[in-house]
Amino acid sequence: MARPVTTVPAALRRKRRREGLRTLAFLSPWLIGFGVFFAYPLVSTAYFSLMKYNGFGTPSFRGLQNWAYVFQHYPSFWQGIGNTLWLVVVMVTLRVAFGLGIGLLITRVKTGAGLFRTLFYLPYLAPPVAATMAFAFMLNPGTGPVNGLLGDLGLPQPGWFTDPEWSKPALTMLAMWGIGDLMVIFMAALLDVPREQYEAAELDGAGPWQKFRFVTFPNITPIVLFAVITGVIQTMQYYTQAIVAGKVASGVIGGSGQQFEPGYPNGSTWTLPQMVYNLGFQQGDYGSACVVALVLFALSMAFTAVLMRRKSGLLGSED
Amino acid sequence: MAATVSVPLTPRGAELRVARRRAALHWVAVHTTAIAAGLFFVLPFVFVLLTSLMTDHQALTSDLWPHEWVWSNYAEVFRTPGFLTWWRNTLLYAGLGTLLTILSSVPVAYALARFRFRGRRLALLAVISMMMLPPQVVIIPMYLFWAKQLHLGGTLWPVIIPMAFGDAFSIFLLRQFLLTIPKEYVEAARIDGCGELHTLLRVVLPMAKPAIAAVALFQFFYCWNDYFGPQIYASENPDSWTLSYGLASFKAAHHTNWNLTMAATLLVMAPVIVLFFFAQKAFIEGVTLTGVKG
């Protein structure tokens, strides 16, 4: 943007300054929020990761001792990382694939499209705690209807939330139940694909799979990428459902209320965010909690950076 | 669905018959799959409802249909200590939070969409990075800030107040929408002598109603469903518990009351679903009235 190399008249300078102040005014709530709730706490977390602090007294410098503790001595640290990564890879992939499938289905339904759309979307609205409890009760190995049906069909009846091998798949099923948000965005993306491209493909003799591969998918790739990125971010924070499922399965909720065993069963639902809570709020070791928090942050950023390298129009047009 | 018109026995007729049959099969396949999917999505709700109406005893069995219909379970849940308090707290959190979010996010979104200033790309990038931040990353210093320094532990203020400073996701969505509003409207208002604030209020906002409604709805759901925030800040004080946190700690007067627990679960799910239905109507009206594709 070339500017003539002359002195800028005073009136223009005043106008620019007014505009600048106005911009500042409009942005001010967010600027404060950014500083207080994002930038400062981020730095603070890094600071505390090097400190020994339990909420009372003053923090004392520990250098990398907290880091050594977390990576070497904190029980189930690596299991938690493994679980979190499992969930990110499996849950996000299945959710995106299923969301795309449901989106495709719903765009093809003629009779009762509105009804189906609403039905498919409804589970997404269910609060996570409520949804998890519903699923935990439904997947009750002994008396739940799912195992009842499987038993009637002569199929094996997994322990679902009580079985370490099945707890994460069960959580994945829960995540796929709440597919409504992905359905809506894929639906919108699919409807935006220009008809002419389909017609042209048909003229060339393309079958349904080829149409999908060469017309549909290239057009919706940005949305798929968006879905994957947001899915990864959400799954890195996976917390509530894992805890509630474990509590129900171990009888803490709706049972005789014994002590909650984190990651029940056998640490299979133990995730990184839970570690932050456990270290900080149950063990009072704020320093180590911040170490885990930074690991969580680094992993989230790493995933996002890898995925974003392929993105283009995420920011939208600018006037 | 397929018309029963007699199709001539010509080669062309054969083609038509094949095409019709394929279309019919396609219809059947699509709708069968849709019904199967529909069952997957709806049965858990049905199951929760049916269990919530069973007797205490029957809820523990594998029966699917209530022998007696114990509607009083719902009254029982309302009488559970704290349930009404959780309702009140959740409504406060969601309602106030949504209001604050809208008030603070709209100006920011407008500035990011319409103003030219140095660092605009940077600001947008910053908003996006805020969207990507897991809350657990900054929870320790934030907790120390709210609970130790400001002594607001045991209340919901630590989750409500930050919403007065903009929500990254809402800002982003609103900005994307505001970009689609044609510049001519804004310029016409400027020619009429409106200041920026007036332009925003009188011209742009009415056109942005569907987007604002959508963002408000999302934020309301987020607050209603939030478990982590209330757990961190309000767990020590049962008077500040929200529905999600209370539900996860639900213990009725006796132990193993699965019928009551399912009734409570439904009561926590229902309001957002009802709100969604009402909002949907207003949403669609908003979109058609302004004639702007949402």
Side-chain angles (χ1 to χ4, degrees):
Chain A
M1 193 184 78
R3 233 192 276 159
V5 187
T6 55
T7 51
V8 182
L12 194 56
R13 249 183 288 133
R14 269 203 303 278
K15 175 165 182 274
R16 291 249 174 83
R17 186 146 33 118
R18 229 191 7 242
E19 277 177 11
L21 281 174
R22 184 195 61 200
T23 306
L24 213 57
F26 272 64
L27 287 179
S28 54
W30 173 74
L31 282 173
I32 299 175
F34 181 78
V36 175
F37 302 117
F38 181 73
Y40 170 72
L42 214 47
V43 171
S44 195
T45 299
Y47 166 77
F48 275 110
S49 72
L50 303 173
M51 295 287 165
K52 178 178 177 58
Y53 188 48
N54 60 3
F56 305 100
T58 52
S60 56
F61 185 70
R62 287 265 239 126
L64 293 176
Q65 277 186 43
N66 291 332
W67 289 80
Y69 169 69
V70 166
F71 278 84
Q72 292 175 336
H73 300 300
Y74 184 52
S76 309
F77 174 69
W78 292 102
Q79 188 183 19
I81 293 212
N83 288 338
T84 308
L85 289 178
W86 189 103
L87 287 172
V88 167
V89 170
V90 175
M91 203 181 263
V92 174
T93 312
L94 285 180
R95 266 199 108 223
V96 171
F98 187 57
L100 188 52
I102 292 285
L104 281 168
L105 177 67
I106 201 75
T107 50
R108 292 205 182 352
V109 168
K110 306 267 184 327
T111 324
L115 175 67
F116 280 116
R117 235 189 351 249
T118 308
L119 276 180
F120 290 4
Y121 189 72
L122 236 39
Y124 171 67
L125 295 172
V129 173
T132 312
M133 286 180 66
F135 257 68
F137 194 47
M138 260 181 42
L139 293 176
N140 186 336
T143 57
V146 172
N147 272 7
L149 181 65
L150 290 176
D152 288 342
L153 292 175
L155 294 169
Q157 303 169 43
W160 302 116
F161 288 118
T162 61
D163 182 344
E165 302 287 310
W166 283 97
S167 54
K168 288 196 285 289
L171 287 174
T172 307
M173 272 170 49
L174 173 63
M176 286 164 71
W177 187 61
I179 200 72
D181 56 336
L182 288 185
M183 174 189 84
V184 166
I185 68 174
F186 279 131
M187 212 173 78
L190 287 167
L191 291 173
D192 261 352
V193 179
R195 292 234 65 197
E196 310 86 62
Q197 292 189 20
Y198 284 122
E199 280 155 24
E202 263 161 37
L203 284 178
D204 285 344
W209 170 244
Q210 278 134 341
K211 274 194 277 187
F212 179 78
R213 191 163 153 228
F214 295 113
V215 177
T216 314
F217 197 75
N219 271 295
I220 61 171
T221 305
I223 305 290
V224 172
L225 198 59
F226 174 76
V228 172
I229 292 180
T230 49
V232 168
I233 294 168
Q234 283 166 8
T235 313
M236 293 291 315
Q237 307 173 13
Y238 201 70
Y239 180 81
T240 307
Q241 293 91 332
I243 289 188
V244 174
K247 281 192 177 179
V248 173
S250 61
V252 172
I253 298 180
S256 22
Q258 56 264 41
Q259 186 69 329
F260 172 52
E261 182 201 311
Y264 186 88
N266 287 353
S268 58
T269 59
W270 184 236
T271 58
L272 273 178
Q274 292 180 62
M275 290 188 213
V276 177
Y277 179 73
N278 169 256
L279 280 170
F281 296 93
Q282 289 176 318
Q283 296 192 27
D285 185 353
Y286 287 137
S288 303
C290 287
V291 170
V292 179
L294 285 180
V295 172
L296 181 60
F297 180 66
L299 280 177
S300 303
M301 290 295 117
F303 269 112
T304 311
V306 164
L307 291 167
M308 290 265 268
R309 253 186 7 205
R310 289 113 161 276
K311 79 116 181 82
S312 46
L314 200 61
L315 295 180
S317 68
E318 305 199 353
D319 42 347
Chain B
M1 199 237 98
T4 47
V5 168
S6 58
V7 180
L9 283 170
T10 61
R12 182 84 225 294
E15 250 177 58
L16 209 59
R17 249 202 317 275
V18 167
R20 286 242 190 92
R21 178 129 46 106
R22 205 155 5 126
L25 279 176
H26 187 243
W27 186 93
V28 167
V30 162
H31 283 80
T32 314
T33 319
I35 292 178
L39 286 175
F40 170 62
F41 290 117
V42 110
L43 280 179
F45 288 115
V46 171
F47 177 71
V48 171
L49 177 65
L50 289 177
T51 308
S52 71
L53 293 170
M54 290 183 186
T55 59
D56 200 1
H57 203 69
Q58 198 192 358
L60 294 174
T61 65
S62 50
D63 292 347
L64 291 174
W65 194 259
H67 293 320
E68 339 161 6
W69 293 76
V70 190
W71 296 96
S72 62
N73 282 340
Y74 283 92
E76 185 77 41
V77 172
F78 272 105
R79 266 179 293 173
T80 310
F83 194 72
L84 287 173
T85 311
W86 304 344
W87 258 87
R88 185 200 69 200
N89 292 333
T90 312
L91 273 174
L92 178 73
Y93 175 24
L96 199 54
T98 303
L99 186 65
L100 290 174
T101 301
I102 298 294
L103 287 178
S104 57
S105 300
V106 168
V108 179
Y110 188 63
L112 285 174
R114 289 291 164 204
F115 296 175
R116 297 178 172 289
F117 55 95
R118 246 182 316 172
R120 184 163 84 157
R121 287 218 97 186
L122 199 62
L124 192 57
L125 234 50
V127 170
I128 294 182
S129 8
M130 281 175 87
M131 272 168 64
M132 312 228 196
L133 183 76
Q136 294 89 353
V137 172
V138 292
I139 191 63
I140 301 286
M142 292 286 16
Y143 174 75
L144 292 172
F145 171 67
W146 289 113
K148 302 280 178 197
Q149 283 191 289
L150 295 184
H151 301 292
L152 285 173
T155 71
L156 286 172
W157 292 116
V159 287
I160 297 181
I161 296 178
M163 302 200 161
F165 296 96
D167 165 69
F169 189 66
S170 309
I171 293 175
F172 185 72
L173 277 185
L174 284 170
R175 180 220 178 230
Q176 299 299 90
F177 180 81
L178 288 171
L179 281 176
T180 67
I181 294 184
K183 295 213 305 209
E184 292 77 43
Y185 286 100
V186 178
E187 274 154 19
R190 278 216 197 107
I191 292 175
D192 283 348
C194 279
E196 272 309 329
L197 192 60
H198 270 169
T199 314
L200 174 62
L201 290 178
R202 299 273 167 74
V203 175
V204 176
L205 274 192
M207 295 180 66
K209 272 205 277 237
I212 294 182
V215 163
L217 213 58
F218 283 135
Q219 197 63 5
F220 192 86
F221 290 154
Y222 171 78
C223 297
W224 190 275
N225 299 347
D226 189 13
Y227 173 80
F228 181 66
Q231 182 196 27
I232 297 291
Y233 294 112
S235 58
E236 64 200 54
N237 179 11
D239 272 339
S240 295
W241 285 6
T242 58
L243 280 172
S244 275
Y245 189 71
L247 184 64
S249 326
F250 191 78
K251 285 179 196 347
H254 329 282
H255 49 220
T256 38
N257 276 75
W258 272 111
N259 53 343
L260 293 183
T261 311
M262 286 295 108
T265 302
L266 204 66
L267 284 175
V268 174
M269 285 181 177
V272 282
I273 294 181
V274 168
L275 178 64
F276 170 71
F277 276 115
F278 281 122
Q280 230 193 357
K281 235 175 51 115
F283 205 82
I284 296 178
E285 274 172 20
V287 172
T288 46
L289 272 178
T290 59
V292 177
K293 191 162 82 114

